[in-house]
Amino acid sequence: NYAGKNNTTLILKALNELRQIANNPAMLNADYISDSGKTEIVTKHIENLVAEKHKVLIFSSFVKHLNIVEKICKENNWKYSLLTGQTTNREQVINEFQNNDDIHLFLISLKAGGVGLNLTAADYVLMLDPWWNPAAEMQAINRAHRIGQDKNVFVYRYITRDTIEEKILNLQSRKQKLSDELINDNLALKNMSEQEIKDLFN
């Protein structure tokens, strides 16, 4: 079995590293100082949204990716809120974003922001990287589509061409039940054919 016990950990590690490289190589190599096309595009988009005083939810499945965006926010003096699995004052952080007109950006990790959030102040949602489970993406997007929402909500997904991210999108269309939870439990790989796994790396 290509996704047998001996190979699963190695495959998962390689896939996650490919996903991080598609976002920004600095996520794997702290000494990387060159450009990242995705980061440049995301930064310019955020700059425009802040200038227009929009409220923006920024989701990533990688806290490291959010940390990169957080650094950019600090460099540009953009006020922001941050919610990850390490956040202890969750309600305070949520309320600050919802009610403080000076805070336009809310950086949220997939694990921390999938459920239990009512973020109707937001009118833009930026998905920094594709997730294995399309349903998890929709859960995140729906944080802004709650009762009381009186604005149109615009959603942007950032996909790096010719990378693992495009392959994830193709896989999503064929395997609707493939989920982030299953990947983490090593079950999804066992349900994939050897060729499907190889295709992720080719």
Side-chain angles (χ1 to χ4, degrees):
N1 185 350
Y2 193 74
K5 185 175 181 180
N6 293 334
N7 293 331
T8 299
T9 301
L10 183 61
I11 293 170
L12 289 173
K13 183 175 184 293
L15 288 175
N16 271 323
E17 288 184 353
L18 287 172
R19 292 176 68 200
Q20 291 178 71
I21 290 170
N23 285 318
N24 188 321
M27 292 173 64
L28 287 179
N29 181 0
D31 296 327
Y32 181 82
I33 58 173
S34 188
D35 296 331
S36 161
K38 179 182 285 194
T39 299
E40 289 180 2
I41 290 171
V42 169
T43 300
K44 187 61 178 177
H45 197 182
I46 293 174
E47 181 181 8
N48 292 336
L49 292 173
V50 170
E52 295 169 1
K53 300 188 182 305
H54 291 286
K55 287 273 200 175
V56 187
L57 306 182
I58 302 174
F59 284 97
S60 177
S61 48
F62 298 102
V63 174
K64 283 184 179 180
H65 202 180
L66 295 179
N67 290 340
I68 289 174
V69 176
E70 182 179 21
K71 181 180 178 183
I72 293 167
C73 289
K74 290 177 178 177
E75 290 172 349
N76 288 277
N77 294 316
W78 297 330
K79 292 188 177 180
Y80 65 94
S81 297
L82 174 67
L83 182 65
T84 71
Q86 303 302 312
T87 303
T88 55
N89 57 336
R90 183 181 172 101
E91 289 303 318
Q92 179 184 342
V93 170
I94 293 168
N95 289 334
E96 284 177 350
F97 174 77
Q98 282 284 100
N99 301 314
N100 187 336
D101 290 338
D102 292 329
I103 298 177
H104 294 280
L105 308 173
F106 199 172
L107 284 55
I108 309 173
S109 69
L110 168 62
K111 294 300 184 185
V115 295
L117 298 181
N118 188 336
L119 301 171
T120 52
D123 58 345
Y124 277 79
V125 180
L126 310 185
M127 314 294 287
L128 298 186
D129 40 77
W131 302 334
W132 296 107
N133 184 1
E137 283 191 4
M138 286 309 303
Q139 268 192 335
I141 292 167
N142 286 338
R143 299 312 99 206
H145 284 286
R146 313 302 287 175
I147 294 173
Q149 177 59 271
D150 58 0
K151 302 175 288 296
N152 290 325
V153 177
F154 299 90
V155 180
Y156 288 81
R157 292 178 173 87
Y158 300 90
I159 307 297
T160 304
R161 184 179 297 170
D162 298 326
T163 69
I164 185 70
E165 294 188 331
E166 276 195 341
K167 297 176 188 298
I168 289 173
L169 292 184
N170 292 334
L171 186 58
Q172 282 179 349
S173 66
R174 299 197 306 270
K175 296 267 188 180
Q176 288 296 312
K177 294 182 180 179
L178 184 64
S179 74
D180 199 50
E181 290 76 22
L182 288 178
I183 281 285
N184 287 339
D185 290 337
N186 300 334
L187 293 177
L189 288 177
K190 294 178 182 177
N191 292 328
M192 293 170 62
S193 70
E194 179 175 335
Q195 188 58 49
E196 284 175 325
I197 294 173
K198 286 181 177 178
D199 286 346
L200 290 172
F201 293 95
N202 292 332

